[in-house]
Amino acid sequence: MGSISIPDPGESIQTPSFDEFQRQTSLMTSCTLLWKELSDHFTSLEQSLLKKSDAIKDKIKTLDTETKVSLSSLEERETTIENSVSIALRNVEAAVQAAAAAVGTSECDDGEDNPEVDDSEGLLLRLKSYCVKMDSLGFWGFVASRKKEMDLMRAQVPLALAVCADPARFVLEAISEVFPVDKRAVCMNDLSWACVLILESLIPVMVDPILGNSRVLVTPSVKKSAKEIAEMWKESLDQRGGIENVKAPDVHTFFQHLVTFGIVKDEDLDLYRKLVVGSAWRKQMPKLAVSLGLGDQMPDMIEELISRGQQVDAVHFTHEVGLVDRFPPVCLLKAFLKDAKKAATSILEDPNNSSRAVHLAARKEISALKAVIKCIEEYKLESEFPPENLKKRLEQLEKIKIEKKRPAAVGPANKRTRASNVGHMPPAKAGRITTAYVSSFPAPPTFVRSPSHTQYPTYSVPSPMYVHGTRSPPANHPYAAYSPESAPLSPPLSYPGTPPMNYPGYGGYGNGMAPAYQQAYYR
């Protein structure tokens, strides 16, 4: 049997210290916290993986749906292309027959080369006659000469292009007179508006009769020619002044050409963006920007327009792409007016514009007010930005502008009124020899009197503080007034009631004749 050892009373029993107990407690707490941290970390990783897995599943489902839609669309396009081509061929055959009939009756029409077109029906018949005969040059000349009837032409040109055997090629030949390079010997006027009108009118003509806008019926040869024309325009960009200086109508024509024939290139999006920002003031530019595939870049483009001080143009872009909440239009319009006011003030303070400072500043503010009022009315912002005060200010500036153009009223000093008593009349404008009037015309010649001539008494006239005929207003002229009427006028000049008795006629001068005054001095 084992024996139980009995501790020796002389031996001391070692008890654990408090520090050791506290160390072990701290170690357990650290292990517990580390375990919790690791557990939370793994839980977070698991949730993140689950979310990513769900997102991938959703993307797969979306891709599957898009793939099915694309496949069904391709199948529909494949099945309908035969019918669309047959419809197009029937239209071409009808156009050819109409052209043959027109050729047979062309001799009868030669006697009436330029009949009067006084209504929409006559306009349509004339346009159709050019299209049926495929007379692209005659068609171009007729359209280019009808700018005043642009709205009517926009409605009739698509109907006329529909009777062409090959409307796409017909349009390319028609606008080739000025696009991509102007071939006219003398460029008297800009005809970009006619190019844009014809290109816009071609879009409804080329749409697929079955699928609509999703497919444009353009032959490969025509599309190739359209691409070559676009490349030629880009190559001539340096001759047009570069991206920064190219004319906005030319840019508009180029963009409409790309959209009409569906030849937009993704690698040229940066070029498109620069051209859009440079011509952002054109009304159609926001829609063209979206059609060119710049919808994703719209926020950056709007911020660029705001930084350039084109807040009104930025408002048009925001409404086109639905970014009104991100870029509030009222704030943009108020900032535009504030910038215009600063610009007008800087014009007034510029010493180089002292002669026309008030006129230039008023014109700057008038232009800004008109743009803002038009924008408010177009987008129905009256409740957020009432235009009444703006209209009153505009009327005030317009009134001041009209008064500024009126000639100064002729005072009594400019009239030669004969004295009531008997006596010789003094020479005309004799009083102008004094310096009381600051004239913009050259000073009159100096007259040398005969030694035998008796000196006349001098009639002095107090100098005016500010005369209406001076070139510049006084330095303290307030900008808000915009009116020269606030400046005091000089007292009217007048001759004494009775001229001196020893005042001779016109024979008292050294040469015995009246002085030869300059004609401009009397104006």
Side-chain angles (χ1 to χ4, degrees):
M1 293 180 63
S3 59
I4 301 174
S5 60
I6 299 174
D8 188 358
E11 296 179 357
S12 60
I13 301 175
Q14 295 181 356
T15 59
S17 65
F18 181 76
D19 294 338
E20 181 67 19
F21 175 76
Q22 196 171 17
R23 186 183 66 81
Q24 292 180 0
T25 303
S26 176
L27 181 63
M28 289 295 295
T29 303
S30 299
C31 291
T32 304
L33 293 176
L34 181 60
W35 173 260
K36 188 176 186 317
E37 183 178 354
L38 290 174
S39 178
D40 293 342
H41 177 67
F42 282 110
T43 303
S44 175
L45 288 177
E46 185 178 4
Q47 292 177 353
S48 177
L49 289 174
L50 288 175
K51 289 181 180 179
K52 290 182 178 180
S53 177
D54 294 339
I56 291 174
K57 290 179 181 179
D58 293 338
K59 287 184 179 180
I60 291 174
K61 291 181 181 179
T62 303
L63 289 175
D64 290 340
T65 304
E66 292 179 354
T67 301
K68 291 179 181 179
V69 172
S70 299
L71 289 175
S72 61
S73 176
L74 288 174
E75 291 176 0
E76 184 180 5
R77 292 169 69 88
E78 186 178 0
T79 55
T80 58
I81 189 170
E82 185 176 354
N83 294 332
S84 299
V85 171
S86 62
I87 294 174
L89 289 176
R90 286 198 298 268
N91 293 335
V92 170
E93 291 176 359
V96 170
Q97 293 177 0
V103 170
T105 58
S106 60
E107 295 181 357
C108 299
D109 296 338
D110 289 342
E112 299 179 357
D113 291 337
N114 296 312
E116 294 294 334
V117 179
D118 55 357
D119 56 2
S120 60
E121 184 177 356
L123 181 65
L124 179 59
L125 291 175
R126 175 67 71 82
L127 291 171
K128 282 186 175 181
S129 66
Y130 289 120
C131 294
V132 168
K133 299 176 185 178
M134 293 295 288
D135 184 5
S136 59
L137 295 180
F139 176 83
W140 167 256
F142 183 77
V143 173
S145 63
R146 298 274 175 171
K147 186 174 183 179
K148 294 182 179 180
E149 304 175 19
M150 188 183 300
D151 295 336
L152 185 59
M153 297 284 288
R154 186 173 285 108
Q156 302 297 346
V157 171
L159 301 177
L161 291 176
V163 302
C164 283
D166 192 351
R169 187 174 298 278
F170 179 81
V171 168
L172 287 181
E173 294 175 355
I175 65 175
S176 64
E177 188 70 15
V178 295
F179 182 81
V181 179
D182 199 332
K183 299 178 182 178
R184 295 176 294 172
V186 180
C187 302
M188 297 296 295
N189 53 350
D190 180 45
L191 296 178
S192 299
W193 66 269
C195 294
V196 173
L197 187 149
I198 295 174
L199 289 169
E200 288 178 346
S201 302
L202 180 62
I203 294 177
V205 178
M206 294 193 307
V207 298
D208 189 278
I210 297 177
L211 298 181
N213 295 329
S214 61
R215 181 165 62 191
V216 179
L217 297 179
V218 182
T219 60
S221 60
V222 172
K223 180 168 285 192
K224 181 180 179 182
S225 299
K227 290 180 179 179
E228 292 175 354
I229 290 174
E231 293 297 327
M232 190 182 303
W233 189 90
K234 288 191 294 184
E235 292 174 359
S236 65
L237 191 58
D238 293 336
Q239 301 177 1
R240 302 173 186 269
I243 297 177
E244 299 296 332
N245 299 318
V246 64
K247 295 180 180 179
D250 293 343
V251 175
H252 189 181
T253 305
F254 173 65
F255 284 161
Q256 190 62 56
H257 175 79
L258 297 178
V259 173
T260 299
F261 291 97
I263 53 176
V264 177
K265 290 185 177 181
D266 294 338
E267 56 268 24
D268 290 339
L269 289 180
D270 186 55
L271 172 64
Y272 301 158
R273 172 180 172 171
K274 293 179 181 178
L275 292 174
V276 167
V277 173
S279 305
W281 56 271
R282 299 281 290 189
K283 184 178 180 181
Q284 300 86 352
M285 205 53 63
K287 292 183 180 295
L288 287 174
V290 175
S291 301
L292 292 169
L294 297 174
D296 296 337
Q297 302 185 30
M298 276 294 189
D300 296 336
M301 294 169 62
I302 292 173
E303 290 179 354
E304 184 176 355
L305 290 174
I306 294 173
S307 65
R308 293 164 64 130
Q310 299 177 239
Q311 291 91 341
V312 174
D313 300 330
V315 171
H316 297 309
F317 278 75
T318 56
H319 278 83
E320 181 63 30
V321 294
L323 295 176
V324 178
D325 295 335
R326 182 171 177 180
F327 301 97
V330 174
C331 297
L332 294 178
L333 295 178
K334 290 182 178 180
F336 180 73
L337 289 176
K338 185 177 180 181
D339 293 345
K341 188 70 174 180
K342 289 181 179 178
T345 305
S346 64
I347 292 174
L348 286 174
E349 295 175 352
D350 188 359
N352 297 325
N353 293 329
S354 58
S355 60
R356 300 182 60 199
V358 177
H359 173 71
L360 293 176
R363 188 171 64 179
K364 178 72 176 178
E365 189 174 356
I366 287 173
S367 177
L369 288 171
K370 287 183 178 180
V372 171
I373 292 173
K374 183 178 180 181
C375 196
I376 292 173
E377 294 176 350
E378 182 176 357
Y379 297 113
K380 310 299 181 183
L381 301 174
E382 291 85 356
S383 59
E384 303 178 47
F385 193 2
E388 285 75 17
N389 294 334
L390 302 180
K391 292 181 179 179
K392 291 179 181 178
R393 176 61 176 165
L394 180 61
E395 292 176 359
Q396 178 185 4
L397 293 174
E398 291 284 1
K399 182 179 179 181
I400 295 172
K401 184 178 179 181
I402 295 174
E403 293 178 352
K404 189 72 176 178
K405 292 182 179 179
R406 291 178 181 174
V410 179
N414 295 328
K415 296 181 180 180
R416 295 188 59 203
T417 56
R418 184 176 297 273
S420 58
N421 55 343
V422 181
H424 295 284
M425 278 293 295
K429 312 298 182 182
R432 289 198 177 182
I433 298 178
T434 64
T435 59
Y437 181 81
V438 181
S439 175
S440 60
F441 300 103
T446 304
F447 309 117
V448 181
R449 301 182 183 274
S450 172
S452 61
H453 195 282
T454 305
Q455 297 296 327
Y456 307 133
T458 303
Y459 298 95
S460 61
V461 181
S463 299
M465 294 177 60
Y466 171 52
V467 183
H468 213 6
T470 56
R471 284 185 174 272
S472 60
N476 59 354
H477 187 60
Y479 165 68
Y482 275 158
S483 177
E485 297 176 359
S486 59
L489 296 176
S490 63
L493 304 178
S494 61
Y495 295 105
T498 304
M501 297 304 295
N502 59 350
Y503 196 106
Y506 291 102
Y509 294 93
N511 56 3
M513 299 178 63
Y517 294 150
Q518 294 183 4
Q519 183 67 20
Y521 189 63
Y522 289 94
R523 294 176 181 173

